Amino acid sequence: IAGITQAPTSQILAAGRRMTLRCTQDMRHNAMYWYRQDLGLGLRLIHYSNTAGTTGKGEVPDGYSVSRANTDDFPLTLASAVPSQTSVYFCASTKDSDGGGELFFGEGSRLTVL
Amino acid sequence: GQNIDQPTEMTATEGAIVQINCTYQTSGFNGLFWYQQHAGEAPTFLSYNVLDGLEEKGRFSSFLSRSKGYSYLLLKELQMKDSASYLCAVKDSNYQLIWGAGTKLIIKP
């Protein structure tokens, strides 16, 4: 089934640990995004990639890094997790960043940092 | 700054009609989106407006007025499964999506 796959779906992590959230899409979309969603706030963009080989910073990039080595994969890394990074993380993709195409979301990764 | 405003929560009755408003102030405009998000799930696309007017899609319609920085999502013949959060998002001049905090819609029998 075509779509976006995120892993893990849920994780509890000790503060200071390194963590990578994986995201893979098989729709050959050019643009990919990482959002975090916190209660009472809108989705906030962490990092994005308009095409393979390029990445950019979103609204809340501090403490996170990404890479886009190929079209399909867009992992998000927390170098040293802190409790304020407890959130639900959504990976999303769309065909082209400047079009009106819909965003397709993964099922989310619920991360708890203790 | 950029801002998207929508009501935090609304309640409606099964079978009725509800209108969810969204006002925005963004640096540029390249389209407005509505997404539906059921609790514990990912957002799913509902509609896209880039020109003024009403777009109808089954029981759901979305309206846009660019001069007023205003949109609404109209849901007709409400069903219990429509209980969800509805997210308004605007693409700004850099083609980045700015998201509202969402409107939680509660449907009562």
Side-chain angles (χ1 to χ4, degrees):
Chain A
I1 298 176
I4 297 185
T5 303
Q6 288 184 234
T9 55
S10 181
Q11 182 76 45
I12 299 174
L13 187 66
R17 297 297 295 269
R18 181 183 179 90
M19 177 73 195
T20 295
L21 304 180
R22 300 183 297 279
C23 176
T24 300
Q25 54 101 357
D26 60 3
M27 297 175 284
R28 308 305 293 171
H29 283 172
N30 288 314
M32 296 188 74
Y33 308 84
W34 273 105
Y35 289 96
R36 59 178 289 172
Q37 188 174 41
D38 302 289
L39 198 64
L41 300 176
L43 287 163
R44 292 185 291 170
L45 182 64
I46 304 171
H47 285 286
Y48 66 93
S49 169
N50 288 334
T51 189
T54 69
T55 62
K57 293 182 179 181
E59 180 186 356
V60 288
D62 294 343
Y64 305 95
S65 64
V66 292
S67 61
R68 186 88 183 277
N70 56 61
T71 297
D72 299 344
D73 301 300
F74 191 44
L76 175 74
T77 297
L78 289 68
S80 179
V82 295
S84 62
Q85 293 177 311
T86 294
S87 187
V88 180
Y89 292 86
F90 286 103
C91 180
S93 74
T94 188
K95 187 173 186 299
D96 294 295
S97 62
D98 58 354
E102 65 180 279
L103 271 182
F104 291 84
F105 285 84
E107 290 304 306
S109 297
R110 183 174 296 276
L111 184 66
T112 302
V113 183
L114 301 176
Chain B
Q2 308 204 88
N3 197 47
I4 310 282
D5 283 319
Q6 41 180 143
T8 303
E9 187 175 296
M10 298 181 71
T11 302
T13 304
E14 189 178 15
I17 299 173
V18 71
Q19 178 176 310
I20 302 174
N21 296 325
C22 171
T23 58
Y24 63 89
Q25 291 177 308
T26 56
S27 56
F29 179 85
N30 282 297
L32 185 143
F33 296 78
W34 284 96
Y35 282 77
Q36 180 189 59
Q37 186 177 24
H38 286 101
E41 298 182 7
T44 55
F45 172 80
L46 286 178
S47 68
Y48 170 67
N49 294 70
V50 67
L51 299 175
D52 291 351
L54 188 68
E55 295 277 345
E56 296 185 81
K57 191 186 295 185
R59 293 188 300 113
F60 292 9
S61 302
S62 57
F63 171 84
L64 174 67
S65 169
R66 288 172 295 171
S67 63
K68 295 182 179 178
Y70 168 70
S71 172
Y72 67 74
L73 181 69
L74 192 71
L75 292 74
K76 302 177 185 176
E77 302 169 16
L78 286 169
Q79 302 176 9
M80 296 305 292
K81 67 178 181 180
D82 297 330
S83 290
S85 288
Y86 291 86
L87 315 180
C88 174
V90 172
K91 242 181 198 183
D92 68 10
S93 57
N94 293 320
Y95 296 97
Q96 295 296 343
L97 274 174
I98 310 301
W99 294 83
T103 298
K104 182 179 181 180
L105 178 63
I106 299 168
I107 309 296
K108 295 186 175 180

